[in-house]
Amino acid sequence: MQKMKQNCRMRGTGCLRPWGLPLGGILLWWALMSPAVGWAAHAYAQFGDIKYPPDFSHFSHVQPDAPKGGEMKLVAPTRASSFDKYNPFTLKGTSPPGLGNLVFESLLTGNTDEPTTAYGLLAEDVTVAPDRLSVTFKLKKNAKFHDGTPVTAKDVKWSLDRAVTVGGFPTFQMRAGSLTKPEQFVVVDDTTVRVDFMKKDRLTIPDLAVVVPAIYNSELVKKNATEKDPWGMEYTKLNTAGSGAYRVVKREPSEISMQRFDRYYGGTPKIAGVSIKAFGLLRTAWASLLRGDVDLVTDVPPDAVQFVQNDEVEVISYSRRYQYVVAFNSSHAPFNVPVVRRAL
């Protein structure tokens, strides 16, 4: 099913994440589906071919020659009126959208061109064991957290230990790839960590490419943890401890501001700052766009375009595919009768 949607933005503005990420040295390993040899290369694809070669400099949607500077002012698409947390990896509460990709990072990252391919992010080298029961990550030595401390294998292990232990969304996500025990994450040396598999599972490595098992600055979080809260969940609810291209510089109940991290190992982001505002009412967001207070409002219904379109606002239409799942509760009548379900 396709449904038309509109994005409205002030003319002359750019789009989020236009910086080039030099990803030389990242690995290709489609070893999990291969016979008994160890594999190491520059990306991992569950299906199809790898689009980008090992030494590519940026994804195709990136504008490497885009001018630097300026601030992108965005509207949160969640329609929440305020933010009450800054940890995007827990279900309770409302966090600003975008933190997971802008502030936090994982070992691998996806790509909008290839939904089933992952490229190295914090990891520069990935090796799958010959028996396909472990994968070893070599970290980029110039990767740093926002306080300037290097990202180490100890941070990776602590973060993954945390993800499988704290419960809730992180633990559920890790379990999808058969990652359930801290013993599965082994520090080899300061910049090398090994992940041991419980079994041969095609979802284990893709599970490490989503941002939910984000790598935290473990020493910073542990300094702010307590005996009752050893994983620092309360601290990370209101504080970030990541290594992403942007760092949080200002927090208000209805707005968060981020600035580019100039020491980011992937290169300096093109946009100097990103702010995200919460508007409980769509019309309030549209009014803010017309005043020039924000640069972009997404998912404007077609019948509302007339309210925001003028000489200063550009409307971009696009098709979006929606997938709907209908699940029957087979514990109760009438859906506990197989012939009824088949008839529907």
Side-chain angles (χ1 to χ4, degrees):
M1 177 181 295
Q2 287 192 347
K3 188 175 182 180
M4 294 301 295
K5 283 285 187 178
Q6 279 78 28
N7 289 342
C8 299
R9 68 181 185 184
M10 295 301 292
R11 295 186 184 275
T13 61
C15 59
L16 195 60
R17 295 199 72 156
W19 62 89
L21 299 183
L23 296 177
I26 32 192
L27 276 218
L28 155 68
W29 26 268
W30 50 299
L32 290 180
M33 301 300 295
S34 304
V37 291
W39 287 84
H42 80 287
Y44 163 74
Q46 283 184 289
F47 310 102
D49 298 325
I50 305 300
K51 177 177 180 178
Y52 297 95
D55 57 351
F56 79 102
S57 61
H58 59 273
F59 292 126
S60 61
H61 64 270
V62 172
Q63 294 178 282
D65 57 347
K68 288 186 177 182
E71 180 184 3
M72 177 67 78
K73 295 172 287 185
L74 305 174
V75 173
T78 56
R79 309 305 177 219
S81 58
S82 62
F83 307 123
D84 59 5
K85 68 169 186 174
Y86 299 93
N87 180 353
F89 312 119
T90 57
L91 295 177
K92 187 178 181 180
T94 303
S95 66
L99 288 187
N101 293 318
L102 297 176
V103 176
F104 296 96
E105 293 187 310
S106 51
L107 293 168
L108 306 168
T109 185
N111 169 30
T112 56
D113 294 341
E114 306 161 282
T116 59
T117 300
Y119 294 83
L121 192 55
L122 285 172
E124 69 173 4
D125 185 85
V126 185
T127 302
V128 178
D131 61 5
R132 294 177 291 167
L133 287 175
S134 70
V135 58
T136 300
F137 296 94
K138 190 73 173 179
L139 302 178
K140 293 176 180 176
K141 294 182 178 180
N142 58 342
K144 297 183 182 299
F145 291 111
H146 294 153
D147 65 355
T149 59
V151 179
T152 68
K154 290 182 180 179
D155 295 304
V156 174
K157 174 175 171 53
W158 185 88
S159 300
L160 298 181
D161 286 355
R162 182 182 195 256
V164 300
T165 303
V166 295
F169 187 30
T171 301
F172 178 82
Q173 176 67 52
M174 297 291 277
R175 191 178 299 154
S178 301
L179 299 171
T180 60
K181 299 180 179 180
E183 294 78 15
Q184 291 180 257
F185 314 114
V186 181
V187 172
V188 178
D189 58 38
D190 287 346
T191 58
T192 308
V193 63
R194 188 182 76 246
V195 178
D196 295 330
F197 303 167
M198 300 287 291
K199 60 182 180 179
K200 293 180 181 179
D201 190 332
R202 295 182 182 182
L203 294 180
T204 300
I205 294 178
D207 208 25
L208 298 172
V210 297
V211 76
V212 175
I215 307 306
Y216 281 86
N217 185 336
S218 62
E219 292 303 317
L220 176 60
V221 178
K222 284 189 288 186
K223 286 179 182 177
N224 293 277
T226 64
E227 184 177 350
K228 293 184 178 180
D229 181 24
W231 297 108
M233 297 298 289
E234 284 300 314
Y235 175 76
T236 55
K237 180 180 179 179
L238 298 177
N239 298 274
T240 58
S243 61
Y246 287 84
R247 58 187 181 88
V248 176
V249 294
K250 182 181 178 181
R251 297 173 303 185
E252 295 180 353
S254 61
E255 183 177 357
I256 186 170
S257 298
M258 294 167 278
Q259 288 184 352
R260 63 188 175 198
F261 182 35
D262 290 331
R263 288 182 287 176
Y264 184 60
Y265 64 91
T268 304
K270 299 291 186 180
I271 296 177
V274 178
S275 63
I276 302 173
K277 295 184 178 182
F279 292 91
L281 298 175
L282 280 173
R283 289 182 179 271
T284 307
W286 300 341
S288 186
L289 177 72
L290 293 173
R291 290 194 305 268
D293 295 337
V294 298
D295 297 316
L296 180 67
V297 177
T298 61
D299 294 347
V300 178
D303 57 357
V305 171
Q306 59 179 320
F307 296 108
V308 296
Q309 191 168 22
N310 60 30
D311 293 339
E312 298 296 324
V313 175
E314 179 182 5
V315 178
I316 303 172
S317 300
Y318 64 98
S319 297
R320 174 180 291 180
R321 288 181 173 86
Y322 287 92
Q323 182 177 10
Y324 295 95
V325 177
V326 178
F328 300 113
N329 185 348
S330 59
S331 300
H332 302 283
F335 300 125
N336 60 344
V337 181
V339 293
V340 174
R341 299 197 298 270
R342 285 197 291 268
L344 294 173

